[in-house]
């Protein structure tokens, strides 16, 4: 197992600078942001422009990673592959394919994305459509020796009432994903607020988890008693403001990282555990983000063997 982080938390830094800082900070891998350069969604970045990547540029990037001693663990493009607007959905699907092509050139084993959801349709209808949408994506990944991994993020802000906007939030849905050739980018933080034991959920599926993320969560039960599980209903101008929990860097929340890492080792996990930094306390400036990554490293590095 190696310890890495997702580069999206440093959107204004070039990849070379992130590689240099990550290696100096003791990290062993990077999960590299590969969203399209257009758009300004939070927690996204473009550290590799996959649409224009050619073999020569890929070789240069591979050499930079090799020289630093870091591993390129995944390309990250987390968007709604079931977007209700046909043109938007097509563009997202095409970008996933571009990420797969880039991963093959880079020797990168995984590409991360979301299943997504059309919030106007039932879960059953979405899953039936997803089987058709993902078939060419899974086929392309298989042909190129890349695994397409889905993070179990709930993406509640994509649904008008705060319900799951990414149909990958439970083991029931993981089994559906596996049946169509997808893999899991496991993140325990989302399971905590869903009321799912992150270790019990993890244990049966480790052979379908080539990559994992490390994000923590802080829950406020007294606020949940007011808003209920879906979160704020009346006064919620920010669709992501659930109102009773917030993300933290590992070590500052309620995830039992010793138990999670121990379960990964016991199950034979040999991939990268990648810190996904979305902590509002240790965010907002580059210095604070890097401090957050240092806190995460101090928490997790002692649990990673050699």
């Amino acid at each position: 197992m190696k310890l890495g982080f997702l580069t999206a938390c440093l959107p204004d830094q070039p990849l070379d600078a992130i590689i240099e800082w990550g290696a100096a900070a003791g990290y062993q891998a990077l999960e590299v942001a590969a969203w399209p350069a257009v758009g300004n969604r939070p927690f996204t970045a473009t550290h590799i422009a996959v649409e224009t990547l050619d073999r020569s540029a890929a070789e240069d990037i591979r050499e930079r990673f090799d020289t630093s001693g870091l591993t390129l663990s995944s390309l990250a493009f987390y968007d709604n592959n079931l977007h209700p607007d046909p043109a938007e959905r097509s563009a997202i699907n095409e970008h996933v394919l571009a990420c797969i092509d880039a991963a093959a050139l880079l020797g990168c084993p995984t590409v991360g994305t979301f299943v997504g959801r059309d919030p106007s349709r039932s879960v059953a209808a979405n899953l039936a459509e997803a089987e058709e949408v993902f078939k060419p994506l899974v086929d392309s990944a298989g042909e190129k020796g890349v695994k397409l991994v889905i993070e179990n993020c709930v993406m509640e802000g994509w649904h008008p009432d705060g319900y799951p906007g990414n149909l990958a939030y439970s083991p029931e849905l993981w089994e559906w994903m596996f049946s169509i050739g997808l893999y899991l980018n496991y993140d325990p933080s989302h399971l905590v607020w869903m009321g799912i034991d992150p270790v019990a959920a993890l244990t049966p599926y480790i052979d379908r988890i080539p990559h994992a993320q490390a994000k923590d969560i802080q829950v406020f039960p007294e606020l949940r008693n007011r808003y209920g599980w879906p979160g704020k209903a009346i006064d919620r101008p920010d669709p992501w403001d659930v109102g009773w929990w917030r993300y933290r860097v590992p070590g500052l929340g309620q995830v039992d990282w010793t138990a999670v890492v121990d379960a990964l080792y016991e199950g034979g996990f040999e991939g990268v555990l990648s810190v996904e930094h979305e902590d509002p306390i240790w965010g907002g400036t580059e210095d604070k983000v890097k401090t957050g990554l240092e806190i995460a490293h101090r928490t997790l590095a002692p649990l990673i063997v050699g």
Side-chain angles (χ1 to χ4, degrees):
M1 194 186 311
K2 291 183 178 181
L3 181 59
F5 68 89
L6 172 57
T7 66
C9 60
L10 294 167
D12 298 323
Q13 289 292 300
L15 182 59
D16 283 354
I18 296 174
I19 291 173
E20 181 179 359
W21 184 88
Y27 279 95
Q28 301 162 298
L30 294 180
E31 179 184 5
V32 176
W35 277 264
V38 296
N40 59 353
R41 275 180 44 202
F43 303 113
T44 66
T46 310
H47 289 127
I48 294 179
V50 297
E51 309 96 315
T52 57
L53 187 74
D54 58 20
R55 191 170 298 278
S56 175
E59 287 298 325
D60 287 344
I61 293 171
R62 293 179 74 159
E63 183 177 350
R64 279 178 259 167
F65 272 89
D66 289 344
T67 300
S68 71
L70 295 181
T71 295
L72 172 53
S73 67
S74 192
L75 294 182
F77 170 56
Y78 291 93
D79 213 321
N80 188 354
N81 281 283
L82 300 180
H83 197 287
D85 179 79
E88 186 71 15
R89 178 190 294 190
S90 178
I92 291 166
N93 299 163
E94 287 299 319
H95 195 76
V96 172
L97 290 170
C99 287
I100 292 168
D101 290 342
L105 287 175
L106 291 162
C108 178
T110 68
V111 167
T113 191
F114 289 140
V115 172
R117 179 180 189 168
D118 178 344
S120 70
R121 307 184 70 193
S122 69
V123 171
N126 271 276
L127 296 186
E129 191 161 11
E131 293 187 11
E132 298 303 316
V133 169
F134 275 92
K135 187 177 188 309
L137 307 182
V138 169
D139 287 349
S140 176
E143 290 166 3
K144 295 177 171 63
V146 174
K147 291 179 178 176
L148 199 55
V149 297
I150 306 293
E151 185 191 348
N152 55 293
C153 183
V154 184
M155 296 306 287
E156 64 287 344
W158 281 350
H159 193 286
D161 294 316
Y163 302 138
N166 174 40
L167 299 179
Y169 54 83
S170 67
E172 177 188 21
L173 289 164
W174 301 349
E175 291 173 0
W176 165 80
M177 294 188 329
F178 302 154
S179 75
I180 64 170
L182 298 168
Y183 293 80
L184 177 63
N185 191 9
Y186 166 81
D187 183 331
S189 65
H190 309 296
L191 296 168
V192 172
W193 78 269
M194 292 288 290
I196 299 171
D197 182 325
V199 175
L202 162 69
T203 303
Y205 304 110
I206 294 176
D207 64 335
R208 299 294 294 184
I209 303 174
H211 195 273
Q213 288 184 329
K215 186 162 72 263
D216 219 325
I217 187 167
Q218 187 175 16
V219 175
F220 303 95
E222 71 280 6
L223 295 175
R224 182 179 57 208
N225 289 342
R226 171 171 174 78
Y227 297 119
W229 178 88
K232 294 179 179 180
I234 296 174
D235 183 17
R236 189 170 172 170
D238 179 355
W240 303 102
D241 181 15
V242 176
W244 62 269
W245 57 263
R246 63 185 180 185
Y247 293 129
R248 303 304 309 271
V249 292
L252 300 181
Q254 292 163 239
V255 173
D256 184 343
W257 291 105
T258 299
V260 167
V261 173
D262 186 55
L264 287 169
Y265 271 121
E266 185 174 0
F269 179 78
E270 295 181 343
V272 168
L273 180 61
S274 177
V275 175
E276 184 183 18
H277 183 349
E278 296 182 359
D279 188 325
I281 306 303
W282 292 107
T285 69
E286 181 186 327
D287 285 344
K288 292 179 76 173
V289 167
K290 287 180 176 178
T291 299
L293 289 171
E294 289 167 352
I295 293 168
H297 187 273
R298 288 199 297 270
T299 300
L300 296 172
L303 306 178
I304 308 296
V305 178

